[in-house]
Amino acid sequence: MNKRDARGDAPLIVLKNLQKAYRTPAGDFYALKGIDLEIWPGEFVALLGRSGAGKSTLINMLTGIDRPTAGEIWIQNKAIHRMSEGKLTQWRGREVGVVFQSFQLMPMLTCAQNVMLPMDFAGLYGTSRQQYARARDLLAAVEIAEHADKLPSAVSGGQRQRVAIARALANDPAFLAADEPTGSLDSRTADAVFAVFQRLVDAGKTLFMATHDRELASRVSRTLRIEDGLIVEDRRLTDAQEEQSHVAEMGA
Ligand SMILES: Nc1ncnc2c1ncn2[C@@H]1O[C@H](COP(=O)(O)OP(=O)(O)OP(=O)(O)O)[C@@H](O)[C@H]1O
Ligand SMILES: [Mg+2]
């Protein structure tokens, strides 16, 4: 695990021959068939693939929500595949931010309380007063501070997803994984949520996003395509392309 790039960075995530089998009545079904992958700090990765290709399964491996059948997951030099259940839960709470298509906010808690929850679980960021102040800052960063004290049911879908992003940032993780985060939003709202992700990447976060949206996927720094549990395409946007897409954005 001593690999370095030209700048001296080591990969943030390394997957080695990662496999995941689900038990089914018809026998084991391999949703991931041997994934080898390195994700570097600061990358904005879009994972594309048809329904059933294995996108959510892969995201669930990266976030420790589910465990692999075989192979290795190294994140920031930690062997995730070897962690005990307790260690994994603790690691996930502190080191990973996850965003889902369906937001998955707690309906009985206000937006701010939803953002405070991961801080509370991890015992980070001080008293509840201090946690509340941090939650408000995070909500301000995604431009919905004024909704902090409302219940999720009282804000729009795009605003709920912003709350979910603020919650994912609660414990300041190095990387965020998002499973079709714009999948239930209209295209304008999706665009705004995508802009939040772009700002996070510009601020140094690493982002891994499963999506069906080709247009959004054309604006990230790297695209992966998964088919039947295997990565079949891995493309990096060159700097020139990135430059051009920024120019296009400014002209839009
Ligand atoms: N718990 C499970 N038990 C059995 N098979 C499963 C289970 N979860 C997923 N699968 C199967 O694994 C494969 C990959 O599923 P996955 O949810 O990762 O696909 P996906 O790419 O996220 O699809 P979508 O775009 O529809 O969300 C599919 O064939 C699916 O039917
Ligand atoms: Mg999925």
Side-chain angles (χ1 to χ4, degrees), residues 44 142-143 157-159 161-162 165 181-199 209 211 213-219 245 248-250 252:
F44 189 172
V142 294
E143 292 165 351
Q159 289 164 342
Q161 195 57 305
R162 284 162 190 264
I165 294 169
T182 60
S184 35
L185 305 175
D186 64 72
S187 65
R188 252 185 88 167
T189 313
D191 224 67
V193 166
F194 185 81
V196 172
F197 284 140
Q198 261 172 333
R199 283 210 305 276
M209 171 181 78
T211 183
D213 192 325
R214 282 161 188 276
E215 199 280 316
L216 290 186
S218 71
R219 290 153 55 187
S245 70
E249 247 166 60
M250 282 191 288

Side-chain angles (χ1 to χ4, degrees), residues 194-246:
F194 185 81
V196 172
F197 284 140
Q198 261 172 333
R199 283 210 305 276
L200 293 172
V201 172
D202 289 343
K205 298 281 186 209
T206 305
L207 226 138
F208 193 93
M209 171 181 78
T211 183
H212 278 118
D213 192 325
R214 282 161 188 276
E215 199 280 316
L216 290 186
S218 71
R219 290 153 55 187
V220 302
S221 65
R222 183 176 175 192
T223 56
L224 300 171
R225 181 171 300 281
I226 185 168
E227 260 174 38
D228 290 334
L230 285 170
I231 302 286
V232 294
E233 196 180 284
D234 183 351
R235 296 172 68 173
R236 262 169 235 253
L237 225 68
T238 63
D239 288 346
Q241 273 174 303
E242 228 166 328
E243 198 69 30
Q244 223 170 26
S245 70
H246 280 305

Side-chain angles (χ1 to χ4, degrees), residues 41-228:
E43 281 192 308
F44 189 172
V45 182
L47 177 65
L48 291 157
R50 286 218 295 269
S51 180
K55 301 182 296 298
S56 295
T57 304
L58 181 53
I59 297 251
N60 291 346
M61 299 293 115
L62 293 177
T63 53
I65 289 172
D66 202 357
R67 316 200 67 141
T69 305
E72 299 177 13
I73 307 174
W74 295 85
I75 300 184
Q76 292 177 304
N77 285 321
K78 292 198 183 94
I80 308 305
H81 54 287
R82 284 201 216 117
M83 278 186 190
S84 67
E85 211 56 58
K87 268 251 159 23
L88 192 63
T89 305
Q90 198 181 35
W91 169 80
R92 190 192 315 138
R94 286 179 181 236
E95 310 288 346
V96 191
V98 194
V99 179
F100 301 97
Q101 176 174 353
S102 54
F103 324 132
Q104 301 197 6
L105 299 170
M106 304 284 274
M108 311 298 281
L109 300 180
T110 64
C111 295
Q113 287 167 339
N114 268 283
V115 179
M116 291 163 69
L117 209 54
M119 305 179 207
D120 215 28
F121 278 139
L124 293 173
Y125 300 105
T127 64
S128 47
R129 207 191 175 92
Q130 290 165 322
Q131 290 173 345
Y132 178 76
R134 177 171 169 79
R136 283 203 69 114
D137 287 347
L138 290 167
L139 289 168
V142 294
E143 292 165 351
I144 47 163
E146 69 272 29
H147 301 300
D149 301 320
K150 290 186 185 167
L151 291 176
S153 57
V155 303
S156 73
Q159 289 164 342
R160 274 178 225 171
Q161 195 57 305
R162 284 162 190 264
V163 176
I165 294 169
R167 179 184 57 187
L169 294 169
N171 293 333
D172 197 26
F175 95 96
L176 279 95
D179 194 353
E180 304 199 32
T182 60
S184 35
L185 305 175
D186 64 72
S187 65
R188 252 185 88 167
T189 313
D191 224 67
V193 166
F194 185 81
V196 172
F197 284 140
Q198 261 172 333
R199 283 210 305 276
L200 293 172
V201 172
D202 289 343
K205 298 281 186 209
T206 305
L207 226 138
F208 193 93
M209 171 181 78
T211 183
H212 278 118
D213 192 325
R214 282 161 188 276
E215 199 280 316
L216 290 186
S218 71
R219 290 153 55 187
V220 302
S221 65
R222 183 176 175 192
T223 56
L224 300 171
R225 181 171 300 281
I226 185 168
E227 260 174 38
D228 290 334

